[in-house]
Amino acid sequence: MTQPTPETKAADPAGTLRADGIVMRFGGIKALDGASIRIRPGDTIGLLGPNGSGKTTLVNCLTGILTPTEGRIVFNGQDITRRTPRQRAHGGIVRSFQNLRLMPDLTVAENVAVGLAGLAQPLRAAEWRDRLTTALAAQRLEPYAHSPLGQMPYGVMKRVEVARALVSRPRILLLDEPAAGLGGGDWEPLAETLKTAQEQMGFGLLLIDHNIEFVRALVNRLVVLATGQVLVEGSPETVLTDPEVGRVYLGSLADA
């Protein structure tokens, strides 16, 4: 079994988000049990695990929605364990959610522009327009920009959510099941546009998704959670052929 890589503060470049020994209890239930992860600028990490393994709980701790029972979260060399989600967003930690949180009565462009509301400093009008135009183009949304979101296909809605996250130009981007419900005709362009955006912006990406093809298309490292602990960490080729990972998933992922 591939063992998790020890996380050392000395090796952290600027802009690194790191969770050390995170424990999260909900009453008598321990959703996370000493989980650690490190996301550096330019990293593309897939976070895998069966339902209930603690993936979304870990993301909620990283983004401040939850405060861990034990452990700490460090971003750019500073302890942010007790900082609010808004404070973390101001610092450049941006996320999407498992369920779409969009406004169907607004246009596609208006939904994307919501991502600019969380910036620490307001933008000049010209830069505001430039960022919005760039975000729409990056996700190939220009043809739908002025259409009500509620009239759009589901695949377009998923790209709108990603564009809303990218418009703020994050330093760390955490995506919770962005390809859920998408067929190949929809997730493949999403993967391509995410690759391009990361090349241009250099953000660290943490990706949760059950679509293994989508994950493989993007990531250079996989972390597998099981019962709130990091079970395996390594390259996709190594992790997806690990027999322990296959056992956790009740079937081999090698042929997924």
Side-chain angles (χ1 to χ4, degrees):
M1 183 173 72
T2 308
Q3 294 298 321
T5 303
E7 306 292 357
T8 57
K9 184 176 180 180
D12 289 348
T16 297
L17 176 63
R18 194 179 79 246
D20 295 327
I22 301 300
V23 174
M24 189 71 229
R25 294 187 180 91
F26 299 102
I29 298 172
K30 189 181 283 187
L32 292 172
D33 187 12
S36 298
I37 195 167
R38 179 175 59 181
I39 310 163
R40 295 164 296 194
D43 275 348
T44 310
I45 301 169
L47 183 61
L48 300 181
N51 290 333
S53 60
K55 303 184 298 296
T56 296
T57 300
L58 180 56
V59 169
N60 286 341
C61 288
L62 291 171
T63 54
I65 291 174
L66 294 173
T67 300
T69 310
E70 298 175 27
R72 68 174 191 155
I73 298 175
V74 176
F75 178 55
N76 203 30
Q78 297 184 357
D79 191 323
I80 63 167
T81 309
R82 302 200 172 276
R83 291 189 184 175
T84 66
R86 185 175 182 83
Q87 289 171 326
R88 298 185 201 203
H90 283 172
I93 301 173
V94 178
R95 70 168 297 174
S96 72
F97 289 86
Q98 200 168 0
N99 299 313
L100 290 173
R101 298 194 176 186
L102 301 169
M103 290 159 278
D105 294 334
L106 299 183
T107 67
V108 166
E110 288 167 340
N111 270 274
V112 174
V114 168
L116 294 169
L119 296 176
Q121 300 293 332
L123 300 175
R124 293 180 181 273
E127 186 177 357
W128 189 94
R129 287 192 298 270
D130 178 65
R131 286 208 191 187
L132 179 57
T133 300
T134 300
L136 289 167
Q139 289 300 316
R140 304 173 186 174
L141 293 169
E142 307 104 306
Y144 317 109
H146 303 296
S147 300
L149 182 76
Q151 298 177 6
M152 295 296 102
Y154 186 69
V156 170
M157 291 184 183
K158 297 292 277 189
R159 296 210 308 274
V160 169
E161 186 171 51
V162 171
R164 185 178 63 183
L166 291 174
V167 76
S168 64
R169 298 186 181 172
R171 301 175 74 184
I172 299 289
L173 179 61
L174 305 107
L175 298 179
D176 197 348
E177 299 199 26
L182 300 182
D186 287 320
W187 72 252
E188 289 171 356
L190 177 60
E192 291 172 9
T193 55
L194 277 170
K195 278 184 182 179
T196 300
Q198 190 180 36
E199 289 169 1
Q200 293 173 344
M201 300 183 197
F203 53 80
L205 174 63
L206 181 68
L207 174 69
I208 298 175
D209 212 281
H210 290 290
N211 183 333
I212 301 300
E213 288 183 280
F214 175 69
V215 173
R216 274 176 163 170
L218 280 168
V219 307
N220 51 39
R221 184 156 59 98
L222 286 174
V223 176
V224 179
L225 284 184
T227 62
Q229 298 178 327
V230 175
L231 175 70
V232 178
E233 179 176 355
S235 70
E237 295 76 14
T238 301
V239 170
L240 292 174
T241 56
D242 191 303
E244 187 67 6
V245 174
R247 184 192 66 78
V248 166
Y249 272 98
L250 302 177
S252 175
L253 287 173
D255 298 323

